[in-house]
């Protein structure tokens, strides 16, 4: 027969009956309660780590903004190239856009922008003949 004087007692058929000890809970400690209050983990790190995190966040924001700007520019340029200008004000709008692009010389080297430049010049020639 198994002898466990602290946690079990014998039965008549010599099978032990297990009982929990008085000072030991079987269900464990109370579970932690959730709270609505958030913890700002940045405050628990050093200044260098905070600066590195801020830099990574800013860089990610800049990259996302650049991507969104490129998509919007592509849409605008596709619209500007899609049809010739119907009148001088439309041709002037295309020219104004191109002049703003020339403020940054690297963007004017893009083949898509060269195509747009050619389209604007064609518009000018066509509208000049109509006058």
């Amino acid at each position: 027969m198994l002898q466990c004087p602290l946690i079990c007692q014998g039965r008549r058929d010599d099978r032990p009956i297990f009982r929990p000890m008085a000072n030991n809970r079987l269900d464990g400690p109370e579970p932690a309660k959730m709270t609505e209050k958030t913890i700002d983990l940045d405050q628990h790190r050093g200044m260098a780590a905070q600066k590195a995190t801020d830099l990574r966040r800013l860089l990610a924001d800049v990259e996302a903004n650049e991507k969104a700007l490129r998509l919007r520019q592509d849409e605008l340029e596709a619209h500007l190239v899609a049809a010739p200008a119907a009148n001088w004000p439309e041709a002037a709008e295309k020219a104004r856009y191109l002049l703003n692009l020339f403020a940054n010389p690297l963007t004017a080297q893009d083949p898509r922008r060269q195509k747009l430049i050619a389209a604007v010049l064609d518009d000018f020639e066509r509208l000049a003949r109509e006058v």
Side-chain angles (χ1 to χ4, degrees):
M1 177 169 111
L2 181 64
Q3 297 292 322
C4 299
L6 296 177
I7 59 170
C8 63
Q9 280 180 318
R11 287 179 151 180
R12 287 186 188 169
D13 58 2
D14 291 333
R15 290 184 310 172
I17 300 172
F18 291 97
R19 298 182 185 192
M21 293 172 46
N23 62 353
N24 187 10
R25 294 180 55 150
L26 291 180
D27 57 348
E30 264 187 59
K33 294 182 181 179
M34 294 189 61
T35 178
E36 295 294 324
K37 182 180 175 186
T38 60
I39 298 172
D40 184 11
L41 296 177
D42 288 341
Q43 292 179 352
H44 297 285
R45 298 183 303 160
M47 186 57 75
Q50 287 180 28
K51 286 184 178 183
T53 299
D54 289 342
L55 182 61
R56 283 192 305 273
R57 288 176 181 162
L58 285 173
L59 183 59
D61 286 345
V62 167
E63 289 172 354
N65 289 339
E66 283 179 347
K67 183 178 180 181
L69 177 61
R70 270 185 260 119
L71 290 173
R72 288 179 28 210
Q73 280 181 326
D74 290 345
E75 287 177 22
L76 174 62
E77 291 173 7
H79 177 71
L80 292 175
V81 171
N87 52 39
W88 280 106
E90 286 183 15
E93 285 297 316
K94 287 182 179 184
R96 187 169 59 88
Y97 177 74
L98 286 175
L99 290 174
N100 287 332
L101 287 179
F102 283 126
N104 183 356
L106 294 178
T107 59
Q109 301 301 321
D110 187 342
R112 296 173 298 159
R113 303 239 167 90
Q114 290 175 353
K115 183 177 177 181
L116 182 58
I117 292 168
V120 168
L121 293 175
D122 290 342
D123 287 342
F124 283 157
E125 286 179 30
R126 181 179 51 77
L127 290 170
R129 285 190 306 262
E130 291 176 4
V131 173

